[in-house]
Amino acid sequence: MKKHKHEAQLLKMALEIGLAYAKKRGFAVPDKGFSEKDKVECIYRLLVKDQLIGPLPDDKEDGPNMRHRLVMWISNKLPEDHPLLN
């Protein structure tokens, strides 16, 4: 699993965009009282269900791998010259 230089910022952006996507789809994800781990899992499962990202194998479906999958998803959506990709 290759780490990005700005992985924390990319994950934050992925969570923001993922939560906005979930709200547009009609899901109510509370901002308060909901841990980052839970947000990552909810957004990951929604994106897999909608076939926007590929699912992880069952034995590798854990927090760090889900976070990495979200980082990869958002980094592929950003333009090549985006500052977080340098």
Side-chain angles (χ1 to χ4, degrees):
M1 188 164 56
K2 182 183 173 189
K3 289 262 189 185
H4 282 278
K5 184 176 179 182
H6 302 285
E7 189 160 335
Q9 292 92 342
L10 287 169
L11 179 61
K12 183 178 177 183
M13 182 182 289
L15 290 177
E16 289 172 5
I17 292 171
L19 288 173
Y21 176 74
K23 287 179 184 177
K24 285 182 184 178
R25 289 266 286 114
F27 293 98
V29 181
D31 291 333
K32 296 181 181 177
F34 210 58
S35 71
E36 181 180 295
K37 178 185 171 197
D38 293 335
K39 288 179 186 178
V40 166
E41 186 171 352
C42 288
I43 293 168
Y44 165 79
R45 295 199 185 285
L46 177 63
L47 294 176
V48 167
K49 182 182 181 304
D50 289 350
Q51 297 179 349
L52 296 175
I53 60 174
L56 291 164
D58 290 338
D59 62 332
K60 300 216 188 256
E61 199 171 79
D62 58 6
N65 286 327
M66 285 185 208
R67 281 193 302 274
H68 183 72
R69 187 60 60 106
L70 291 179
V71 167
M72 296 303 297
W73 167 69
I74 198 65
S75 64
N76 288 331
K77 298 294 180 189
L78 294 174
E80 290 182 21
D81 60 343
H82 194 279
L84 291 179
L85 298 179
N86 295 332

